Amino acid sequence: MANVSLPSIFQDASAVASEEASRNAGLPGPSGGGARGPRHPKYNPRLAVIAQLALAKKKGRQIDLVADTDSVNVLKDKALYRAEREINLSHFRELMQIFERASKDGKKQLDMENFKRAFGAVLGKGLTEEQMGLLFMQVDANTDNAVDWEEFSTFMLLRAERQTKMREEASIQLFDVPSTMLSFPKLQTRHHEAIIAVIFVPGQNRFITCSREGTLCVWTESLKLQRCFTSICSRRRHLRDTIEDLKPQKEKKVNILRSPTPWAHDCVLMANLNKFAVASDDHEITFYEYSTLSPHIRLDLYDSVALSLHYWVNSENPDNDVASLFFSTDQGYVCEFTFSIAAVIAQKKRKGEAITISLVSPSSYHPASLSTAPLGALGGTLTRHKVHEDWAVKVRYYHELHSLVSCSPDPKASLVVAQRIATKPGGGGGRWSIFTAPVCKGVNTFAYSHFPVSLVTGGADRQLRVWNPHRLSHPMAALKGHNAPIIDISINDIDGQVISLSSDNMIKVWDLRTMQCLQSLLDRMPLESDVPLSRIFFNSSGKGKLLAVSNGIAEFKFKGKSDTQVTTSRTHEYPLRAALYNPNFRQIVTGCDGGVIQVWDALTGLKTFRFSEAHGKAEITAMGFDTGHRRLVTGARDGTIFVWNFHNGQLIRELVKPDSSEVTSIMYIEMNETQFIVATSWNKTVVIFEDDASAARIRPRAVYPNKKDPTPWHHEDVLCCDFCPPFLLATGSYDGQIAISNLQSGHLIHRLKWPGADDKSNPNRSIDKVLFLKERIMMKNAATLLTTGADGVIRWWQIDTAFLIWEMDATQGNGEGIYAMSVNSSNNLLVTGDSQGWVTVFDISLTCIDDRDEITPPNVLSVFRGHLKGIVSIDLMESSFMVTASTDGTARVFTARNNFLPNFSHNYGLGLWRLCGHAGPGLALGSFSSIYLLKSRKTFRRFSA
């Protein structure tokens, strides 16, 4: 098979040209939310390149400015890569001149023979006749048996563009999330309220979580609970403040020890002191011992509540004795508390009680915008800056910027950067130069990215803003995509990504270099019955992982980077709709609900091509090849139907349905030497399109049943169809009805009925698959149609008389539905797939072939579980191989005798035809080695007239 793509030098030129053309024409560029929107006016692609270089330098990688080519697979003939690797600009000029000279009927086209001759003259020896013929068929997607220069150049350019995008997407690290998961699987914890802080201790490889009610947990790196302390903020209140309120009354007794437990607002680890600092709503910041969580020092803030904490110490100077605790308050103050490390260590408890130190007492309190007060007890100083008119909800000190950053819902002073311009010995104190930036509706959170250097903020206006921390006059970019206020931000410095969390439990991953949304993770748990997500934390150590926390912990690892062996590599991120084998090119084409179509080399299992958003934001619901296997036709949930050249992602034409109902099945047929497309949908009708190679948009040739026809084919939505030449069409519907029609005239021939089809109380009446046994169509008394559906029963029909010959339970009595069924070309092998992922292979060569009274049951060749979830598609290949697709996101290849071959996935390029074992490395989802003969467990039933 020849997979021909544009050479790297031409890819770079085309990429630059398309970028320049888009810029000059004002075409849409990168935007947030994964959608195409207007490019931000300050976006500069050169800055993106510089950021990419800086990021790669940080990773220690070598930068290669030439587009990478796919790795050579030694299983292939090396000559197949000549067209990809050796066509340069001079070769293109020669080919263009050949197209100009060689004309066919004055149209400047090349037929297959002239095409082979031209490529042989330009590239010399190395490409075989078969390889050049396959290339011609790939380019000639309109099947007119001629290729002109425009068709050839468009094919090569579009394929190069798509392959470049495919490689870029493959290089992006995204988080591994099961596509069908409605709610993130959270680790159960001792926390009852929302977690307000997640801390990672690098030296010990531990995570620390603290929740609002004061529960603090210590976890291993693999999230195994080691220690847990509950209600660390609970203690007897200051009696001087509350004793009158809590004094027992005569009529009832009140225990003053049962005063309300203060809520924690933030928690930081002071590693060099071996202590925690916790800010609570009782106007205190408390230092706790790391090992026992007993309180050591309480800092009294008088009438302020600390909302955010940040601890910094100059670890580069071993003789340093000064540390800084930064905190922001509910009165809009940003404070720096510098103290002596030795003085804190020297403080001794008195009678087991914590030492209370008043940071802001009534005598020293004044509401000035800047105040400094010495604190002799700890040998330190408190500096207070009044920088916000509303709550100062977050504060961080970034030493590399020498800046203190805070944010607030205040729309005037939303983001404040205070840059230190003078420093006291030891690194604390000094003078500050303050810069403010207003943001509509304020800022709830921010984070600092090292590569590229930027501040990223989020707030109630649902936008992420990217700022230059040295210039806050205006943001560099605004990223849109969230539908609710943004409440937390984390940075992945490994890949230059920012991760944002909004109050509707939506997590988005953004690329700071291209300013685009890469991935969206939505936790669909019911907000009224569970604690919503409160924080996200990205840990860059090791292989990198993301924690999303509420009162539980959800863990996300990069794809292919889990600590244990990969066991469920997926072909697509979303449930699959189909996996189709193309015998012409020996390729397998897969499509999923996410609108992504991928092309795989059936000989090696390598992905050769990919294009996404085939139907915009709509899900792909049906797929099929044309009769010549040159083109791919897809239908979507929004009713759109497109015809593609699946080798380069070119949209050839659009088929316009009368309505926007979901397409449930689609297939190419040939009738009277003319190709038609038959589509069924959720509107009880069958739509017929005539394949017109000259039209870009095609409207229906016919819609059956005709409006004038008083007899409807179906009373419910049509789910499936199959065609038998010369004109028979079988359709099945949701209510269990099966219709046999004359597609040429549009007349209904038979309506097949089976026992129980009219029972409206039966929820499993739907017919999800109909299948003609075309090799038996001339047999007078043989079963020529198979139907199955949600009840898991296969029914054998004689369509001439509309007679149900026999039925059998093909699911071993487990009641699962069968939604995929296929037969081989000789109609002696039947393969089914059910809703639990089980595959059953039958030998049906002697079943229902005549009118004898005693039915010969099918011989069960093998039964095995091929997928974890339901199978939606089965396609038989050469030599009794089959490819299956499932809603678990995988497509897999098996033999009829249950030899499992490595599946198609993003992470592996495996030799698909290796028969040395049942599974590739780490890809087995169960035991596939056993073959079960289940005839004794099946239920068979024969019907008579």
Side-chain angles (χ1 to χ4, degrees):
M1 185 207 74
N3 292 319
V4 181
S5 64
L6 206 61
S8 58
I9 182 173
F10 205 73
Q11 291 175 21
D12 295 335
S14 63
V16 173
S18 61
E19 174 71 25
E20 191 67 29
S22 300
R23 199 160 50 240
N24 295 337
L27 296 178
S31 65
R36 295 186 177 181
R39 179 174 297 191
H40 192 274
K42 298 297 180 182
Y43 175 80
N44 189 341
R46 292 181 176 83
L47 292 179
V49 174
I50 294 173
Q52 187 175 6
L53 292 173
L55 180 66
K57 182 178 179 181
K58 179 178 184 291
K59 293 182 179 180
R61 298 188 310 204
Q62 183 179 359
I63 300 300
D64 186 3
L65 297 181
V66 180
D68 295 328
T69 55
D70 293 336
S71 58
V72 178
N73 192 317
V74 295
L75 298 178
K76 282 187 173 183
D77 184 355
K78 294 182 179 180
L80 295 181
Y81 291 87
R82 292 286 303 279
E84 294 187 3
R85 295 177 175 271
E86 295 189 11
I87 297 180
N88 53 33
L89 291 178
S90 62
H91 292 155
F92 266 81
R93 293 191 186 97
E94 292 183 44
L95 288 171
M96 184 172 64
Q97 293 172 1
I98 291 175
F99 274 100
E100 292 289 337
R101 290 195 303 265
S103 61
K104 177 184 178 182
D105 299 330
K107 296 181 180 180
K108 298 181 180 179
Q109 295 177 327
L110 296 177
D111 57 16
M112 181 175 289
E113 294 302 321
N114 290 327
F115 184 87
K116 293 179 180 179
R117 194 177 301 114
F119 261 75
V122 172
L123 295 181
K125 298 179 180 179
L127 287 176
T128 65
E129 290 279 329
E130 180 184 1
Q131 293 157 5
M132 288 188 289
L134 290 174
L135 175 60
F136 177 86
M137 287 193 294
Q138 288 180 352
V139 179
D140 182 32
N142 60 4
T143 65
D144 61 354
N145 296 320
V147 173
D148 58 18
W149 171 249
E150 181 180 357
E151 195 174 4
F152 175 76
S153 59
T154 300
F155 171 85
M156 300 298 282
L157 281 169
L158 189 55
R159 181 174 174 85
E161 179 185 351
R162 299 276 192 174
Q163 283 189 325
T164 301
K165 183 178 180 180
M166 181 181 72
R167 282 191 289 267
E168 289 175 353
E169 291 174 347
S171 65
I172 296 173
Q173 294 193 84
L174 300 180
F175 296 103
D176 195 6
V177 183
S179 57
T180 57
M181 183 173 59
L182 295 179
S183 181
F184 298 154
K186 300 180 184 66
L187 179 68
Q188 297 300 317
T189 68
R190 304 284 184 88
H191 299 289
H192 300 289
E193 299 293 338
I195 295 173
I196 47 94
V198 181
I199 304 168
F200 181 71
V201 187
Q204 303 175 9
N205 290 332
R206 292 178 178 175
F207 288 100
I208 299 170
T209 56
C210 181
S211 55
R212 283 197 188 281
E213 81 276 9
T215 300
L216 191 143
C217 297
V218 181
W219 311 82
T220 65
E221 191 174 15
S222 57
L223 295 180
K224 301 294 184 182
L225 183 63
Q226 287 188 321
R227 292 188 297 164
C228 181
F229 302 90
T230 59
S231 302
I232 61 174
C233 299
S234 177
R235 68 179 186 91
R236 186 177 294 188
R237 295 279 188 178
H238 292 299
L239 296 183
R240 66 174 186 274
D241 297 334
T242 60
I243 193 67
E244 295 298 328
D245 297 332
L246 299 176
K247 187 177 294 184
Q249 304 296 325
K250 293 182 179 180
E251 63 272 16
K252 61 180 180 180
K253 295 183 179 181
V254 177
N255 189 346
I256 63 172
L257 296 180
R258 294 184 179 178
S259 57
T261 301
W263 274 29
H265 288 291
D266 203 2
C267 173
V268 294
L269 174 65
M270 301 185 290
N272 64 318
L273 294 173
N274 219 21
K275 300 181 188 299
F276 290 104
V278 178
S280 54
D281 63 0
D282 57 355
H283 310 286
E284 290 183 348
I285 299 174
T286 307
F287 292 178
Y288 294 91
E289 300 291 347
Y290 180 83
S291 56
T292 62
L293 261 295
S294 60
H296 181 203
I297 298 174
R298 300 186 189 275
L299 305 180
D300 188 357
L301 306 184
Y302 185 54
D303 62 346
S304 298
V305 175
L307 302 179
S308 177
L309 301 175
H310 186 71
Y311 179 73
W312 179 80
V313 62
N314 189 359
S315 57
E316 297 177 358
N317 182 8
D319 299 327
N320 175 47
D321 187 49
V322 178
S324 296
L325 179 67
F326 301 92
F327 60 93
S328 59
T329 72
D330 59 344
Q331 297 180 351
Y333 283 91
V334 175
C335 308
E336 179 188 13
F337 173 43
T338 60
F339 55 88
S340 169
I341 297 174
V344 170
I345 297 175
Q347 296 292 328
K348 302 296 183 181
K349 294 183 180 181
R350 299 171 184 174
K351 298 180 181 180
E353 293 291 332
I355 302 168
T356 300
I357 298 175
S358 179
L359 290 188
V360 184
S361 62
S363 60
S364 63
Y365 172 78
H366 55 88
S369 60
L370 175 64
S371 60
T372 302
L375 298 171
L378 297 181
T381 304
L382 175 67
T383 304
R384 306 167 72 235
H385 303 265
K386 176 69 173 177
V387 293
H388 301 285
E389 295 301 325
D390 204 335
W391 288 9
V393 294
K394 187 172 183 177
V395 63
R396 291 293 183 269
Y397 176 70
Y398 301 112
H399 182 61
E400 54 267 46
L401 299 177
H402 299 287
S403 298
L404 182 65
V405 184
S406 63
C407 67
S408 169
D410 179 9
K412 295 182 179 179
S414 308
L415 179 66
V416 175
V417 177
Q419 188 173 9
R420 197 193 300 270
I421 57 177
T423 307
K424 291 184 178 181
R431 291 183 297 137
W432 300 83
S433 177
I434 298 178
F435 304 92
T436 63
V439 175
C440 178
K441 299 183 181 181
V443 173
N444 293 337
T445 183
F446 63 86
Y448 172 65
S449 170
H450 297 83
F451 299 97
V453 175
S454 56
L455 273 174
V456 184
T457 63
D461 64 350
R462 302 170 294 178
Q463 294 186 31
L464 279 177
R465 289 178 171 83
V466 183
W467 306 78
N468 182 347
H470 303 289
R471 174 183 286 182
L472 296 182
S473 57
H474 54 77
M476 297 187 294
L479 308 179
K480 299 179 181 180
H482 281 286
N483 296 319
I486 298 171
I487 58 176
D488 200 18
I489 295 174
S490 187
I491 297 294
N492 171 11
D493 278 322
I494 298 176
D495 298 285
Q497 297 173 353
V498 58
I499 308 165
S500 56
L501 168 67
S502 55
S503 58
D504 59 351
N505 291 337
M506 174 65 78
I507 301 174
K508 286 185 175 290
V509 183
W510 311 78
D511 192 325
L512 279 176
R513 296 160 293 176
T514 62
M515 305 297 177
Q516 287 184 323
C517 181
L518 304 177
Q519 188 178 19
S520 296
L521 314 174
L522 176 61
D523 190 1
R524 296 183 178 90
M525 62 183 177
L527 298 181
E528 67 275 5
S529 63
D530 205 344
V531 178
L533 298 179
S534 56
R535 291 288 185 271
I536 51 176
F537 179 82
F538 180 78
N539 177 29
S540 59
S541 66
K543 298 177 181 179
K545 69 173 66 174
L546 173 68
L547 302 183
V549 300
S550 53
N551 59 348
I553 302 175
E555 179 185 13
F556 306 100
K557 298 177 181 179
F558 282 129
K559 295 174 183 176
K561 287 196 170 186
S562 60
D563 296 334
T564 59
Q565 191 178 29
V566 177
T567 58
T568 56
S569 295
R570 293 199 299 273
T571 308
H572 286 261
E573 297 307 308
Y574 294 87
L576 265 69
R577 283 295 176 173
L580 309 175
Y581 175 66
N582 190 304
N584 286 356
F585 304 100
R586 292 187 179 179
Q587 292 177 330
I588 293 174
V589 180
T590 58
C592 70
D593 284 353
V596 177
I597 296 173
Q598 298 186 146
V599 183
W600 308 82
D601 186 347
L603 296 178
T604 64
L606 293 173
K607 181 167 61 178
T608 61
F609 196 70
R610 175 186 190 272
F611 59 100
S612 58
E613 296 185 357
H615 291 263
K617 298 300 180 183
E619 301 174 4
I620 294 175
T621 56
M623 291 173 51
F625 287 123
D626 68 343
T627 54
H629 293 86
R630 301 274 195 93
R631 295 164 294 173
L632 177 73
V633 58
T634 59
R637 191 173 297 278
D638 60 358
T640 56
I641 302 175
F642 295 145
V643 180
W644 304 89
N645 183 343
F646 59 92
H647 299 289
N648 66 345
Q650 179 185 2
L651 176 60
I652 299 176
R653 61 183 57 94
E654 177 185 1
L655 310 181
V656 183
K657 281 173 66 265
D659 55 36
S660 59
S661 57
E662 175 181 331
V663 179
T664 55
S665 66
I666 193 166
M667 64 183 305
Y668 261 88
I669 66 170
E670 186 170 339
M671 191 166 53
N672 296 331
E673 298 183 352
T674 303
Q675 289 196 23
F676 296 90
I677 301 100
V678 180
T680 64
S681 58
W682 282 3
N683 60 357
K684 310 174 188 178
T685 62
V686 177
V687 185
I688 313 297
F689 300 89
E690 183 177 351
D691 189 18
D692 185 358
S694 62
R697 288 168 60 91
I698 302 177
R699 298 197 176 273
R701 172 75 176 271
V703 177
Y704 296 140
N706 193 293
K707 292 182 179 180
K708 298 179 181 180
D709 191 346
T711 305
W713 290 9
H714 293 279
H715 299 284
E716 288 291 343
D717 300 328
V718 182
L719 302 181
C720 57
C721 69
D722 195 22
F723 179 75
C724 180
F727 49 76
L728 285 182
L729 181 73
T731 53
S733 61
Y734 183 76
D735 59 354
Q737 298 297 320
I738 305 162
I740 306 297
S741 311
N742 185 324
L743 199 58
Q744 190 172 24
S745 64
H747 292 143
L748 179 65
I749 301 175
H750 295 298
R751 182 175 284 114
L752 308 182
K753 290 188 177 182
W754 50 274
D758 296 329
D759 184 6
K760 295 183 179 180
S761 62
N762 180 11
N764 298 323
R765 291 186 299 155
S766 65
I767 300 298
D768 294 272
K769 191 68 177 177
V770 293
L771 194 63
F772 277 110
L773 301 178
K774 300 179 179 66
E775 293 298 316
R776 299 184 177 192
I777 204 68
M778 302 305 295
M779 297 181 182
K780 183 177 180 181
N781 298 313
T784 52
L785 179 71
L786 303 181
T787 64
T788 189
D791 59 357
V793 175
I794 299 179
R795 296 176 175 87
W796 303 67
W797 300 86
Q798 211 290 326
I799 59 174
D800 288 341
T801 59
F803 176 59
L804 177 60
I805 300 177
W806 187 55
E807 71 176 15
M808 70 175 190
D809 181 5
T811 63
Q812 294 79 57
N814 57 21
E816 299 297 334
I818 294 178
Y819 302 106
M821 186 166 60
S822 182
V823 293
N824 62 349
S825 58
S826 58
N827 289 176
N828 58 8
L829 197 66
L830 173 68
V831 184
T832 64
D834 66 21
S835 56
Q836 289 296 315
W838 287 88
V839 178
T840 307
V841 183
F842 301 93
D843 180 357
I844 62 171
S845 57
L846 300 178
T847 305
C848 296
I849 59 174
D850 49 33
D851 59 351
R852 67 181 66 177
D853 292 335
E854 184 178 350
I855 299 295
T856 302
N859 182 23
V860 181
L861 300 180
S862 61
V863 178
F864 56 93
R865 191 171 190 181
H867 297 271
L868 290 179
K869 295 186 178 180
I871 297 173
V872 295
S873 168
I874 295 177
D875 200 4
L876 294 182
M877 305 161 63
E878 297 115 343
S879 303
S880 298
F881 287 90
M882 71 184 79
V883 55
T884 61
S886 168
T887 55
D888 63 7
T890 62
R892 295 186 165 185
V893 172
F894 302 90
T895 68
R897 290 288 182 177
N898 186 22
N899 288 317
F900 169 61
L901 304 176
N903 64 309
F904 306 102
S905 69
H906 300 295
N907 306 320
Y908 298 94
L910 301 171
L912 203 60
W913 301 113
R914 292 184 308 177
L915 301 181
C916 56
H918 292 297
L923 296 177
L925 297 182
S927 175
F928 300 131
S929 58
S930 299
I931 297 178
Y932 304 98
L933 296 180
L934 300 175
K935 286 190 293 184
S936 60
R937 296 174 56 187
K938 289 187 175 296
T939 302
F940 300 118
R941 188 185 307 171
R942 174 172 173 80
F943 291 87
S944 58

